[in-house]
Amino acid sequence: MALVKLGSESGIALPEILFWRQLPTVPLVLLFFWSQGRMADLKTDRLRQHGKRAVIGLMGMVLNFGAVTLLPLAEATTFNFTSAIWAVILSALILHEHIGIWRWSAVALGFGGVIIITQPGDGHIPVLGAAVALGAAFMIALISILIRDLSRTEQPLVIVFYFSLLSLPILGGALPFFWTEKTVEQWAILIGAGLVGLLGQFLLTAALRYGSVASVIVMDYSGLLWATLLGYALFEALPSTTTWLGAPLVVAAGLIIAWRENLVRKKVRPPATL
């Protein structure tokens, strides 16, 4: 996300960043499977589900990267944390999961933290930026549920591969309208964003294969430390006072959600036998 913000501030349009962010994934994943003699593993019987994940994932990327261009890095990252809160709401609406008082209280606590950070009417956080960031978090929660479903039958790299493969034609169609000549520094930013993005997608997808959605999303909270350090090192920006006050509430909400989901899973699943 820091590389995306650097690219945007250097004059690269968002559709270009998205295209080059996705492009390295396809050849690198193909090269990996070919070198392992496992090209047959890329075959899938769930192309429709991959297509749905690609469309929603692309919408999420637009909002996620857009939030970083509109907000300071730490604030954009903090808003991202509300994805755990959205995951609870979506679990109730889509999966018809029973949500107890603890998790609904965590939802209220998390959104209370968002209100403290944004300070409606104060103007220090752009309304558009906050709305885009909250929309991005909602999409991340929705995408996580889709990945969780795909992971029942698909390998993590296969999910990552089809996301990039199916989203590239859409991004490629928009590229001619935003193309600009690049400096060496801008190319380095784009290549770096693509490689780091591929690694991040793989690790997230692999994590969702073995853990619950909310539990995995909670691990993102370490990102606030990195966002703060990178925001200061690269952009000379530190989180505002209201962010320091509101962020702990958002993080606490996510931790409560993870704790309660862990208890629910223990009640539903029988003990494992060694």
Side-chain angles (χ1 to χ4, degrees), residues 81-85 88 106-107 109-110 214-215 217-219 221 247-261:
F81 294 160
T82 61
S83 54
I85 299 168
V88 171
V107 169
L109 180 67
S215 297
I217 289 175
V218 163
M219 297 303 105
Y221 294 146
L249 300 183
V250 178
V251 172
L255 293 174
I256 292 171
I257 291 167
W259 167 63
R260 293 301 298 178
E261 288 211 351

Side-chain angles (χ1 to χ4, degrees), residues 5 9 60 76 78 89-90 105 131 141 145 177 184 193 198 207 231 235 265:
K5 191 170 183 66
E9 294 195 356
T78 303
I89 298 172
L90 289 173
S105 298
I145 291 175
F177 300 99
V184 173
L198 170 60
F235 310 104
R265 289 176 66 196

Side-chain angles (χ1 to χ4, degrees), residues 22-61:
Q22 291 292 77
L23 184 62
T25 300
V26 174
L28 287 175
V29 173
L30 284 173
L31 179 62
F32 172 79
F33 279 104
W34 175 79
S35 66
Q36 299 289 316
R38 296 168 48 198
M39 290 297 288
D41 289 357
L42 288 173
K43 182 180 178 182
T44 182
D45 296 322
R46 305 186 69 187
L47 193 59
R48 179 176 294 182
Q49 287 85 349
H50 281 291
K52 184 188 298 184
R53 185 264 185 271
V55 171
I56 296 177
L58 190 54
M59 293 168 60
M61 283 182 65

Side-chain angles (χ1 to χ4, degrees), residues 46 49 147-155 159 209:
R46 305 186 69 187
Q49 287 85 349
I147 292 176
R148 182 71 172 168
D149 176 60
L150 279 169
S151 295
R152 292 186 296 106
T153 58
E154 310 287 82
Q155 300 175 46
I159 298 174
R209 185 183 180 93

Side-chain angles (χ1 to χ4, degrees), residues 12-155:
I12 307 174
L14 184 58
E16 273 197 278
I17 296 174
L18 289 167
F19 177 82
W20 294 107
R21 158 69 177 73
Q22 291 292 77
L23 184 62
T25 300
V26 174
L28 287 175
V29 173
L30 284 173
L31 179 62
F32 172 79
F33 279 104
W34 175 79
S35 66
Q36 299 289 316
R38 296 168 48 198
M39 290 297 288
D41 289 357
L42 288 173
K43 182 180 178 182
T44 182
D45 296 322
R46 305 186 69 187
L47 193 59
R48 179 176 294 182
Q49 287 85 349
H50 281 291
K52 184 188 298 184
R53 185 264 185 271
V55 171
I56 296 177
L58 190 54
M59 293 168 60
M61 283 182 65
V62 170
L63 292 173
N64 210 17
F65 289 4
V68 173
T69 65
L70 295 169
L71 295 172
L73 199 58
E75 277 74 6
T77 302
T78 303
F79 280 117
N80 225 323
F81 294 160
T82 61
S83 54
I85 299 168
W86 290 117
V88 171
I89 298 172
L90 289 173
S91 294
L93 296 178
I94 297 177
L95 304 179
H96 305 292
E97 179 183 337
H98 172 71
I99 306 298
I101 186 64
W102 277 98
R103 282 184 285 178
W104 281 128
S105 298
V107 169
L109 180 67
F111 282 124
V114 169
I115 292 173
I116 291 174
I117 294 169
T118 55
Q119 290 287 301
D122 181 75
H124 79 287
I125 295 291
V127 175
L128 177 60
V132 170
L134 287 172
F138 173 83
M139 297 302 292
I140 289 172
L142 182 57
I143 292 162
S144 297
I145 291 175
L146 294 175
I147 292 176
R148 182 71 172 168
D149 176 60
L150 279 169
S151 295
R152 292 186 296 106
T153 58
E154 310 287 82
Q155 300 175 46

Side-chain angles (χ1 to χ4, degrees), residues 227-257:
T228 301
L229 293 174
L230 288 169
Y232 180 72
L234 299 176
F235 310 104
E236 298 183 356
L238 286 172
S240 64
T241 302
T242 54
T243 299
W244 289 118
L245 293 173
L249 300 183
V250 178
V251 172
L255 293 174
I256 292 171
I257 291 167

